Amino acid sequence: MASNEVASSAKAKYLQIADDLAAQIKSGALAPGSAVPSEAELMQRYGVASGTVRKAIAELRTSQLIETHHGRGSFVRSRPPVQRKSSDRFRRAHRMAGKAAYLAEAEVSGGTPSVTVLFVGPTEAPADIAERLSVPAGTQVLARKRRYFRDGVPTEEATSYLPWDVVKDIPEMFAENPGGGGIYARLEERGQQLAEFTETVRARLATKPETAALALSPGSPVIHLVRDAITTDGRVVEVCDTVMAADQFVLDYRFPAKD
């Protein structure tokens, strides 16, 4: 058999396996939250090599029918991805109501959200962050690093960097819980009126530390989002560097049409 025919046959086989498992999920034979049969079980059931099974599992992940957790295996999705509406999540009304953006979004998507604070304290600004803050690289800034969970599963990790001169006299900024409305509410209380946010988004493969932190399978994609919070006088008062499990989020943007 010619090499292209072999490749075509292998592709057809993993798609056949993916279609079969997808049908079981949609029929309820594989219920939401249940474990997908192990790689060894699927190899035996379908008489294929491990690579073919992995491709079939990857196909199901791409279709967002299953989710894979490092060290635990693959499971049928029991909830939709978080719908992250950037046009809504930073509204001042939410801050005044004491709402944190991630917690509200995760609840709407049908899950129990939680957050673990990993670090709060002074650090030297990395070069790319320093450039966004318009300070020299290595300048002391305040870093706030968090890991977010939904139903106990890690979904994203974010580090906020804030200029030291802006936050040094705001004690809540150095607490694990900065209070209702989060750090943006505390900034505005101290006269740093926020005017706009800009976000830079790219997709890439997770690094080894990110794979471990977010319990991802090796080679999993992540969304790398960097946001600037800008005041009415044009100063960037926060840069938030966020890595998100790509299969856990849908990014929803709204912006006006212009001439």
Side-chain angles (χ1 to χ4, degrees), residues 13-199:
K13 191 63 179 178
Y14 84 74
L15 288 176
Q16 176 188 335
I17 296 169
D19 287 345
D20 188 21
L21 292 172
Q24 293 178 48
I25 292 169
K26 291 172 183 176
S27 71
L30 282 174
S34 65
V36 175
S38 69
E39 183 177 305
E41 289 177 277
L42 293 174
M43 288 170 62
Q44 183 175 17
R45 180 185 300 177
Y46 293 102
V48 295
S50 61
T52 301
V53 168
R54 289 171 189 166
K55 288 179 181 178
I57 294 298
E59 188 74 17
L60 294 172
R61 278 201 305 271
T62 300
S63 302
Q64 298 194 340
L65 291 173
I66 67 169
E67 51 195 11
T68 302
H69 305 300
H70 185 63
R72 294 173 54 204
S74 296
F75 299 83
V76 179
R77 270 190 175 277
S78 57
R79 62 202 190 281
V82 172
Q83 191 84 8
R84 187 182 181 280
K85 293 181 176 290
S86 289
S87 58
D88 177 76
R89 74 193 315 258
F90 300 122
R91 289 174 56 195
R92 187 166 287 109
H94 293 330
R95 297 196 289 280
M96 293 179 68
K99 294 181 180 178
Y102 175 83
L103 302 183
E105 288 168 344
E107 287 172 353
V108 169
S109 294
T112 302
S114 59
V115 58
T116 297
V117 177
L118 303 175
F119 174 79
V120 179
T123 192
E124 295 183 356
D128 56 333
I129 302 298
E131 183 178 359
R132 287 174 174 265
L133 290 172
S134 298
V135 299
T139 297
Q140 179 174 277
V141 296
L142 174 66
R144 297 181 54 87
K145 185 173 185 178
R146 298 90 64 200
R147 187 175 299 147
Y148 295 91
F149 299 79
R150 187 163 57 133
D151 295 334
V153 177
T155 58
E156 68 175 279
E157 198 166 88
T159 304
S160 290
Y161 299 90
L162 302 104
W164 193 259
D165 65 297
V166 170
V167 301
K168 61 184 177 65
D169 296 322
I170 308 178
E172 297 93 337
M173 289 294 198
F174 294 82
E176 287 194 5
N177 183 353
I183 63 174
Y184 293 152
R186 304 291 81 79
L187 287 170
E188 293 199 313
E189 289 170 356
R190 295 303 185 98
Q192 301 291 339
Q193 191 78 354
L194 297 171
E196 65 175 346
F197 300 89
T198 65
E199 293 184 340

Side-chain angles (χ1 to χ4, degrees), residues 181-259:
I183 63 174
Y184 293 152
R186 304 291 81 79
L187 287 170
E188 293 199 313
E189 289 170 356
R190 295 303 185 98
Q192 301 291 339
Q193 191 78 354
L194 297 171
E196 65 175 346
F197 300 89
T198 65
E199 293 184 340
T200 303
V201 183
R202 68 187 179 105
R204 58 172 174 77
L205 298 182
T207 64
K208 285 186 177 180
E210 291 164 354
T211 297
L214 298 179
L216 301 172
S217 299
S220 293
V222 292
I223 299 168
H224 188 183
L225 184 151
V226 184
R227 180 178 64 254
D228 294 350
I230 306 167
T231 63
T232 51
D233 61 4
R235 183 175 185 184
V236 176
V237 291
E238 183 227 20
V239 176
C240 187
D241 191 331
T242 304
V243 176
M244 312 159 73
D247 66 339
Q248 294 289 332
F249 293 89
V250 173
L251 304 187
D252 191 334
Y253 291 92
R254 179 182 178 184
F255 42 87
K258 294 184 178 180
D259 293 336

